[in-house]
Amino acid sequence: MARTKKTKAPKPELDDETLDDAIAKLLAQEPDGLEIKTVRASFPKSHQPSVARLEARLRVLVAGGKVHRWGRVVAAEPYAVRARARLLELLVEPANGKGIQAGLPPTLRLKNGLKPVLARAVAEGVVFEHPDPKGKKVPRYALVPADPKRHLGEIEKAIASTLKRLARSGVDREALLTALDGRATPAPIAVPRIHPDALLDAVLEVRPDARAHVLVSVRDLRRHLGWSKTDFDRTVLALAGEGRITLHHHDHPTGLSATERNDLVRDDRGNFYVGLVLEEAAA
Amino acid sequence: MTTLATIRNPFGRPVVADAWDVRSIDVPEINARAFATCMQAFARVAGGQGSESIILHGAAGSGKTHLLGRLQHHLVTEGAKSAADGALKCVFVAVKLQTSPQMLWQHLRRRFADDLLRETEGASQLQRLVAHYLAARGQEKDAKAWVRKIRVLSQIEDETVESLLEEVSEKARLGFELRRVLSHLIYRRNMSEARGWLRGDPLPEEALARLGLSTSSEGEAEDQAREVIVSLCRLAEDSLPIVFCFDQIEALQSSTTDGAGFLRLGQQLAELFESDNNILIVTCLQSFALDLFKDSVREANWQRISRRQAVLDPLDRKLAELLLERRLESDPTLAEIRRSRATERVWPLVSSDLDALFEGGPRPTARRLLLRAEQIFFERATGRAAPPSVPFEIFLEGEVDRRLDHVLKAQKPEETEGNLRHGLPLVVNALEMPWRSAQLEERDVQLEFESDEAKRIQLSVCNAKNMKSLAATLRRLVKREAKGQHVIVRDPRFPVSKTAKRCREYLGELEKKGVRLVEPDIESLALLDAVRTVLSDARAGDLMHDGLPLPVESVEKWLRETLDERLTPLVEDLLAMGSAPVLPVDTDRVQDLAVLLSERLIISLEEAAGLLDYPPDELERVARGHPARFGVLNGPPAVLFLSIPPSLTGDLEEEVA
């Protein structure tokens, strides 16, 4: 009896909506993005889309703003947003350019991508450029301003020796510093920085339709900017005080976890705010 | 002489119950932008440009339900003048989501049916829906003429309507059962049964037979509900779109971080959106839940249900004064008194009364402003300080009692399934009982509770009124392999009659397998219903006390401290805590006696024993063993009667006194 040739069953295909949803979910779990080949490999063999189809769907998702492409990598957030967040985590310890590159996950190491992100953070006063204490030309970066003490070097020694000599004449350290006419910088005090315009710009980046009177989540905005909590909260409250934004409060913040509450803006009366709306003048 | 003291406080009633409650004074300037968004979306739908959706959000008390009321008034009442049929501009459906996420379609079906059967100028919304559908497809394009035709022809039982309906069901792909029921509703025949079917109520066999329907339906209730709703949505036309308003969606959550209900809701709303081109969906929630709602819903669904977003801002000073002024002017007597003080805009209040509300902190919502204004008005009118608010514990006690009274009078046994499936997990959670609840996807087993010691109890709410449906369910449960302890719950007002032999057989078999049948008493069920709605209102920010929404955590704490004794027995009974897993040995006799007393209400023991063919002393033992359901009066002659909850007899006693 002639054997009938077995025909291979066609591979089941996910429909566009399911595939898009699966990609979005996968990327939501991988905030540092995934290489496209890894995205494909993440699907079970039985439902793996072809490279061409995956590329096609990614093009649609990228065009719709649901997925962002960083070279060979795709991710849920724009590169600038994710790189900034990572940068701020990293710079808890000061690092130079090489150190920053090495500290970032491989997907975020874009040759020309990081520079503008770093430059913007410095311009906004979120990240500070420190001169190398050894006088090399390579700057270092950190989340706090440079400590002048580390750069006084010989001057410190000179002041100490001058003080020693003048002590017999009744001149103390305070008198000497006064004589220096305030040129000796006092220890930096952590005064919150207010960046109203930067925040308003960021509102439009997070929600391009913010001018149409929509609520912008302070959680999303905070993540986008990556500022310190004090700076962010103060700036938001200052803008509300000036009537440039309207704040929407949370009725039951006690029902939230400490982390969730920390994402909200808190005023000095203990009210928590979940979002803001641009007032017409600001919009 | 008329003084302020004799005038009703114009700032009362700051909470709007639902979208049909239009007794509150409306100030169109408040939330004008959000309202305009709704009207623009409606105009697009009515202009044939496809379905639309809006997410409407704001703080508790910012006026979400009030805005729905304004929309309803504008589209339904005001809109009548410009409607294509001269009476109805849209079918308006308002739904508060106080339900289990697993019963969303059934919940919507009930509300949709109720709204569809509302009458407008002699014709129900459903009749008009059919008329507009025909107008869009027939040679006669005048919807008004079609409405008239259907109304007149159906009254004289003209068979033309039947053929028109045939045409509608063919074009709109309506199922056989829906087609049959539409015919009854349009001819106004067997209205009670047809209304019950449309709502998805469990119907007895005789009722189904009167409708000409099969006596047992094998489909899942949730799937059937979806099918009915989606089919009805296909009848919507440009000239008569359907507007669905979903309020209090936070009531779907079991905790502040629970997004599972939102996921299901997103799916439902997207399906509604896709069901036809003439659908407008408005979803209301508190702003703080917006992030979680968005994160929980599938991206593709989010795109469908949030085509527009509108935010309800807190009041600024100008709007606050306007609201006060409009309220003050709403009372003609007060307006007359105020005429002599034309320069004082908010007299007897003064502008500085508002200072405290606008100094620091969040700007006030309309509800908060009105509550404060109510106090100030009282002080100015009486010269006395406003009475201090009662402690929230007293307030909650009164609130639960008030709702319990209402539920006892209005509760229908058909709604017990929804009540249990939504309320039981909420109460177990609130009482901090050592059980974790989960909603199951299984057709006949809906709830599961797992204890810290890995003890598992599964609950089946078997509330079919139709004995054939009940038998089918019980048959499936007999075949099902037990996963932990199994409890069947049924409303005691639906006793299993003696003629339902298959049901009794299956119950017997289940008994042998260790399954337990629980028929909670009516008062416990009513209490669960009352508590469930209080918790839902609190979660949605609509339970106000002393000018502020009461946090759900406070309500839960109060429940633990106060209602623990009243709620715990019900929960323990249902979860079979500490009891042996057996059916009560008297199941058949209890059911027989319940059926007999549901017909006779009161009967001598001897006659009952004769009718049921039981020894009298045996029957008396059964009755005395279930004091929540049956009463016994010592004789001679001894009398049996159907027990009625004391809270219901209270009114009766007062009337007699």
Side-chain angles (χ1 to χ4, degrees), chain A residues 17 21 66 207 213 215 217 219 246-252 255-256 260 267 269 271 273-274 277 280, chain B residues 33 57 60 257 286-288 291 295 298-299 303-304 311-314 359 361-363 549-551 553:
Chain A
E17 191 177 308
D21 216 51
K66 291 167 195 159
R207 285 295 300 253
H213 200 78
L215 189 81
S217 154
R219 181 193 66 172
T246 298
L247 288 175
H248 281 239
H249 70 280
H250 194 302
D251 287 305
H252 307 306
L256 301 174
E260 287 164 335
D267 70 14
R269 294 180 178 211
N271 299 299
Y273 299 91
V274 290
V277 175
E280 266 161 35
Chain B
R33 195 192 296 256
H57 61 93
T257 52
Q286 290 179 81
S287 295
F288 75 78
D291 282 344
D295 292 348
R298 287 179 60 169
E299 178 61 31
Q303 298 301 331
R304 291 179 175 91
V311 56
L312 275 61
D313 283 332
E359 273 170 13
R363 274 163 34 191
L550 257 183
E553 293 79 13

Side-chain angles (χ1 to χ4, degrees), chain A residues 250-283:
Chain A
H250 194 302
D251 287 305
H252 307 306
T254 46
L256 301 174
S257 68
T259 319
E260 287 164 335
R261 264 201 304 273
N262 211 37
D263 269 345
L264 309 182
V265 169
R266 183 178 190 268
D267 70 14
D268 53 9
R269 294 180 178 211
N271 299 299
F272 287 84
Y273 299 91
V274 290
L276 57 90
V277 175
L278 290 184
E279 280 299 321
E280 266 161 35

Side-chain angles (χ1 to χ4, degrees), chain B residues 49-244:
Chain B
Q49 294 178 69
S51 292
E52 275 286 345
S53 58
I54 306 163
I55 302 278
L56 206 60
H57 61 93
S62 58
K64 296 181 286 294
T65 311
H66 186 98
L67 191 67
L68 293 184
R70 187 188 297 170
L71 187 64
Q72 181 275 123
H73 182 72
H74 201 84
L75 292 178
V76 181
T77 315
E78 294 282 310
K81 297 164 205 159
S82 58
D85 66 3
L88 194 67
K89 200 163 185 172
C90 69
V91 172
F92 193 90
V93 187
V95 192
K96 275 189 181 183
L97 288 178
Q98 295 189 345
T99 187
S100 152
Q102 271 67 19
M103 297 183 75
L104 273 171
W105 287 103
Q106 293 169 75
H107 184 70
L108 177 60
R109 179 178 179 174
R110 214 167 288 132
R111 302 291 167 261
F112 192 19
D114 288 343
D115 285 331
L116 276 178
L117 297 177
R118 280 177 200 266
E119 297 265 334
T120 314
E121 293 190 11
S124 68
Q125 301 205 32
L126 182 66
Q127 286 180 320
R128 289 179 187 276
L129 205 55
V130 171
H132 281 255
Y133 189 84
L134 287 166
R137 283 160 186 78
Q139 286 186 339
E140 168 63 81
K141 294 287 177 196
D142 183 4
K144 201 171 181 176
W146 276 107
V147 172
R148 203 179 314 119
K149 196 169 177 179
I150 287 184
R151 200 171 51 200
V152 173
L153 293 178
S154 62
Q155 276 169 4
I156 57 168
E157 303 254 331
D158 190 295
E159 287 303 310
T160 321
V161 177
E162 209 46 68
S163 62
L164 290 175
L165 271 179
E166 204 55 59
E167 188 188 330
V168 170
S169 37
E170 196 177 307
K171 284 182 179 158
R173 306 187 308 283
L174 306 184
F176 172 77
E177 293 189 326
L178 179 58
R179 151 81 183 83
R180 264 287 159 91
V181 172
L182 275 185
S183 166
H184 284 278
L185 291 169
I186 284 175
Y187 277 114
R188 296 177 188 272
R189 290 188 296 232
N190 300 310
M191 279 300 279
S192 163
E193 291 85 351
R195 176 189 290 268
W197 187 93
L198 199 65
R199 294 178 92 241
D201 289 344
L203 293 180
E205 286 143 70
E206 316 83 72
L208 288 169
R210 277 198 287 280
L211 295 173
L213 300 179
S214 149
T215 52
S216 76
S217 178
E218 282 298 304
E220 282 216 44
E222 193 66 355
D223 289 342
Q224 285 174 356
R226 175 178 29 221
E227 181 56 34
V228 168
I229 293 166
V230 169
S231 299
L232 288 169
C233 285
R234 285 200 286 268
L235 297 180
E237 286 300 332
D238 299 353
S239 59
L240 192 65
I242 302 179
V243 179
F244 287 103

